Amino acid sequence: MQNTHTTASSNKQFKVIPIMVALLISGFIGMFSETALNVALNDLMQVLHIAPSTAQWLTTGYLLTLGILVPVSGLLLQWFSTRQLFITALIFSIAGCLIAALAPNFELLLLARVVQAVGTGIMLPLMFNTILVIFPAEKRGAAMGIIGLVIMFAPAVGPTIAGLLIENLSWHWIFWLSLPFLVLALVCGILFMQNVSTITKPKIDLLSIILSTIGFGGIVFGFSSAGEGGGWTSPKVIASLIIGAAALILFGWRQMRMKKPMINLRAFKYPMFTVGVIMVFICMMIILSSMLVLPLFLQGGFGKSAFYAGLIMLPGGIVNGLMSPVMGRLFDKYGPKWLVFPGFLVAAAALWFFSGVTAASAAFLIIVLHSCLMIGISMVMMPAQTNGLNQLPRQFYPDGTAIMNTLQQVAGAIGTAVAVSIMTAGQERYAESHPGGNMVDSLTAGVSHAFMFGMIIALLGFVIGLFMKRVPLKRD
């Protein structure tokens, strides 16, 4: 990677490596602290004396904040400079991390997660938008691959490191460990970050922000509540989903009627962007649902510790991270189609084999299947994302990244909630048809159903992939 790139549109030279280092460190720690805490939930329930449904709010609150904030990010990118947004995001992340490290109770820890999510919600769209501006189209695949390496490597090592810290120190150290890296990223940003986006200061439409907040917030809250154990028939879940869907329909209608919308939904006029968004949505549903179901099975079915579950999932996560730059370069060379087709088939096959796993299965088999699943996802995720964003004209970059990142959070909430619901229903059906059966067998039956759901989603992605074409490269 060259140290500097010049874009034709602005004729401005960017110091690529220092900018990338600052973005990658902050992105890595953002993703690390998100997934590391998931493994600590069992420990937190005992230490803080809270129920599983309460502990789940540490994840739900984080997703909810992202779901509300990320849609507004397109507007923020056009109102504030790259440096201002980067420094603001890091200040929120550092503040959230410090509050969490010192938190004596659940309420303060939840507040810390919301503050952290504000930082991540600003950082994710900023990261993708910056890459679209500082890299020419023919090199974006490789750049997105490096981002993928970091973003996928963090969830891979997060559970293992968290398991070690919980066994030897306490859950507070998940945040103490993150703090110096965030400070380092802030220093890098202050020294090297350049302003890459064009500030146009479009008119702020308060009604759009309110509708977006209620819409995305309602959908994420509704699906998360269903996954927590309230079930799909709970009045809270039904009301949240109906209000969220109604607000989103009004939001979309308003955006299409405005000359300068908050998020320009006309980005969906570009077919490869639309296909790319659907692919990324499906990948996030598969990744986040499997990252929740698999540790539950390893700890509940195999009776293993959080550290052991993290170790089993480590090779797959590392493989996924290492494959991202490789897939990025293959995308630059051959385009997306010959990566996406086999990618979805590999993921579907791995999920089908996962549906037959039992408590007697060898740990090696779990590692191989998880690694195959991660390889399949890496073959789809970055190529689909990059190909989709490549089709957009430069003025749509903030809107395109906001749409992609918002729908990733929504996909995560939907995938997790549906997988948990299917798993719970599978457990209950098994218990009814096998009175006197043990808990491990009913959990195995539930997990099998959840993985079958993942396989069906992957096959749906394969069918949609038939419509994917390589976007002709154009220079900005």
Side-chain angles (χ1 to χ4, degrees):
M1 190 187 290
Q2 293 175 342
N3 194 26
T4 59
H5 283 154
T6 308
T7 55
S9 59
S10 61
N11 207 24
K12 185 177 179 182
Q13 227 180 36
F14 296 113
K15 293 176 184 173
V16 171
I17 291 176
I19 290 174
M20 285 288 282
V21 167
L23 288 171
L24 292 173
I25 293 173
S26 47
F28 178 86
I29 294 300
M31 295 301 292
F32 166 79
S33 59
E34 181 181 350
T35 55
L37 197 69
N38 289 348
V39 174
L41 288 181
N42 273 339
D43 195 63
L44 286 167
M45 282 182 242
Q46 294 166 19
V47 175
L48 301 176
H49 309 293
I50 51 174
S53 56
T54 308
Q56 189 65 35
W57 268 100
L58 295 170
T59 302
T60 304
Y62 195 94
L63 277 175
L64 194 57
T65 308
L66 288 178
I68 290 167
L69 187 66
V70 176
V72 187
S73 65
L75 199 62
L76 294 175
L77 287 164
Q78 295 168 76
W79 261 88
F80 300 100
S81 72
T82 312
R83 279 178 62 82
Q84 286 172 330
L85 288 174
F86 182 84
I87 290 166
T88 303
L90 260 299
I91 288 169
F92 271 104
S93 295
I94 289 168
C97 216
L98 189 59
I99 295 167
L102 296 167
N105 54 39
F106 171 76
E107 290 76 18
L108 261 181
L109 184 56
L110 181 59
L111 171 67
R113 294 292 283 162
V114 171
V115 174
Q116 267 189 311
V118 172
T120 307
I122 297 170
M123 183 60 69
L124 283 177
L126 180 68
M127 186 187 292
F128 286 106
N129 190 68
T130 303
I131 284 171
L132 289 173
V133 175
I134 68 174
F135 283 94
E138 66 273 12
K139 292 184 178 175
R140 278 186 202 142
M144 287 284 201
I146 292 167
I147 288 283
L149 167 63
V150 169
I151 286 178
M152 297 304 173
F153 191 67
V157 299
T160 313
I161 294 172
L164 264 177
L165 291 172
I166 291 163
E167 281 188 18
N168 296 296
L169 296 161
S170 76
W171 61 266
H172 291 92
W173 281 91
I174 293 170
F175 300 100
W176 285 123
L177 186 68
S178 304
L179 211 51
F181 290 101
L182 288 172
V183 172
L184 176 64
L186 179 61
V187 172
C188 279
I190 291 168
L191 294 175
F192 302 115
M193 185 57 69
Q194 293 170 267
N195 294 323
V196 304
S197 54
T198 309
I199 297 174
T200 54
K201 295 202 172 179
K203 187 183 172 187
I204 294 173
D205 181 49
L206 197 59
L207 183 56
S208 289
I209 292 174
I210 292 167
L211 288 171
S212 161
T213 301
I214 294 170
F216 289 110
I219 295 289
V220 172
F221 178 80
F223 273 100
S224 297
S225 299
E228 282 167 22
W232 297 99
T233 53
S234 157
K236 179 173 73 171
V237 171
I238 293 167
S240 298
L241 292 177
I242 290 171
I243 292 167
L248 280 185
I249 290 165
L250 288 172
F251 173 75
W253 178 77
R254 184 165 179 80
Q255 300 314 294
M256 295 306 288
R257 290 178 62 87
M258 291 170 70
K259 280 186 180 175
K260 290 187 177 177
M262 186 179 101
I263 293 185
N264 198 335
L265 299 180
R266 291 173 186 87
F268 284 109
K269 276 194 320 186
Y270 298 88
M272 287 310 102
F273 172 73
T274 304
V275 170
V277 166
I278 295 168
M279 299 275 183
V280 169
F281 194 92
I282 288 171
C283 284
M284 288 304 290
M285 283 183 75
I286 293 170
I287 284 178
L288 288 176
S289 59
S290 64
M291 278 185 71
L292 181 84
V293 170
L294 194 53
L296 280 175
F297 182 58
L298 288 169
Q299 291 178 60
F302 283 69
K304 301 297 183 182
S305 66
F307 178 54
Y308 179 89
L311 273 181
I312 290 282
M313 295 175 74
L314 182 62
I318 291 172
V319 165
N320 189 10
L322 293 175
M323 288 295 282
S324 284
V326 176
M327 293 305 159
R329 286 191 168 81
L330 288 174
F331 166 80
D332 285 338
K333 199 168 182 182
Y334 302 109
K337 202 160 198 169
W338 303 113
L339 295 171
V340 168
F341 281 169
F344 271 128
L345 285 179
V346 168
L351 288 161
W352 184 73
F353 280 111
F354 257 133
S355 69
V357 165
T358 67
S361 300
F364 180 72
L365 176 66
I366 307 280
I367 291 169
V368 170
L369 290 178
H370 185 241
S371 298
C372 289
L373 176 62
M374 292 292 108
I375 288 168
I377 292 296
S378 70
M379 291 173 80
V380 177
M381 189 92 169
M382 283 298 157
Q385 197 166 17
T386 311
N387 193 62
L389 291 170
N390 272 351
Q391 196 180 25
L392 297 180
R394 186 186 171 97
Q395 69 268 23
F396 280 97
Y397 287 170
D399 304 295
T401 52
I403 290 166
M404 280 265 190
N405 284 290
T406 301
L407 291 179
Q408 282 187 42
Q409 310 314 321
V410 176
I414 291 174
T416 304
V418 174
V420 168
S421 300
I422 289 171
M423 185 178 78
T424 307
Q427 282 180 270
E428 287 170 357
R429 268 202 301 274
Y430 182 89
E432 285 169 13
S433 58
H434 296 78
N438 64 40
M439 288 286 290
V440 173
D441 287 341
S442 68
L443 176 64
T444 303
V447 166
S448 173
H449 284 76
F451 281 124
M452 286 299 285
F453 157 72
M455 186 195 76
I456 292 164
I457 295 292
L459 290 174
L460 177 66
F462 175 78
V463 173
I464 294 165
L466 295 171
F467 300 97
M468 179 168 268
K469 293 174 188 170
R470 184 170 193 166
V471 173
L473 294 180
K474 56 184 186 298
R475 292 192 175 273
D476 293 324

